[in-house]
């Protein structure tokens, strides 16, 4: 009958005294994909398309790793794709990413210099043949 007796909430607090209020944008960090089995090691990665919004002063990098070992303990090849545009881009890929059966990717979203903007990843598309 009286919810205020069970829970109360205070205002925002800058705990560390660094100008960052908990729960607001700071550093977005990393996103890791699952490991994808491409079915065979005869696949060719033709392109990587990234749909993103990168405000000025921000960065977003997509690292693609491939291997014939599903634990990625050996024989790993990788390539970093980065473009600071506010829209999508498609990048061709090096031959070092071809001929592998397993693929995974990591997205690194770094802090924006303004502290109020956030890089946004909408979609990553891999064109394999």
């Amino acid at each position: 009958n009286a919810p205020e007796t069970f829970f109360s909430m205070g205002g925002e607090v800058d705990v560390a005294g660094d100008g960052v209020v908990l729960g607001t944008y700071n550093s977005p960090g990393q996103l890791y994909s699952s490991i994808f089995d491409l079915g065979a090691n005869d696949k060719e990665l033709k392109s990587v398309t990234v749909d993103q919004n990168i405000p000025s002063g921000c960065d977003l990098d997509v690292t693609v790793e491939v291997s014939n070992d599903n634990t990625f303990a050996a024989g790993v090849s990788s390539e970093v794709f980065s473009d600071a545009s506010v829209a999508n881009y498609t990048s061709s890929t090096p031959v070092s990413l071809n001929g592998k059966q397993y693929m995974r990717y990591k997205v690194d979203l770094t802090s924006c210099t303004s502290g109020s903007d956030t890089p946004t990843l909408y979609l990553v598309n891999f064109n394999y043949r």
Side-chain angles (χ1 to χ4, degrees):
N1 289 342
E4 65 277 357
T5 63
F6 297 105
F7 182 75
S8 65
M9 202 179 223
E12 295 178 333
V13 177
D14 178 3
V15 177
D18 60 1
V20 176
V21 175
L22 296 178
T24 62
Y25 172 77
N26 189 10
S27 178
Q30 299 173 325
L31 167 77
Y32 292 89
S33 76
S34 299
I35 295 173
F36 299 98
D37 184 344
L38 303 174
N41 64 0
D42 62 349
K43 304 299 181 191
E44 180 182 352
L45 180 59
K46 300 299 279 180
S47 64
V48 175
T49 301
V50 180
D51 189 5
Q52 63 187 9
N53 181 7
I54 310 297
S56 179
C58 303
D59 288 312
L60 186 149
D61 298 326
V62 177
T63 303
V64 177
E65 293 182 319
V66 294
S67 178
N68 281 321
D69 175 9
N70 67 355
T71 65
F72 283 78
V76 177
S77 297
S78 66
E79 185 70 26
V80 177
F81 299 92
S82 181
D83 185 296
S85 64
V86 294
N88 64 11
Y89 73 92
T90 299
S91 177
S92 59
T93 59
V95 290
S96 63
L97 296 179
N98 296 337
K100 305 292 184 175
Q101 182 169 345
Y102 301 98
M103 190 267 303
R104 67 182 178 187
Y105 66 92
K106 175 181 77 167
V107 179
D108 290 297
L109 299 111
T110 58
S111 298
C112 300
T113 54
S114 71
S116 63
D117 291 321
T118 304
T120 306
L121 173 68
Y122 298 112
L123 172 80
V124 179
N125 186 40
F126 301 96
N127 179 13
Y128 268 100
R129 288 190 207 203

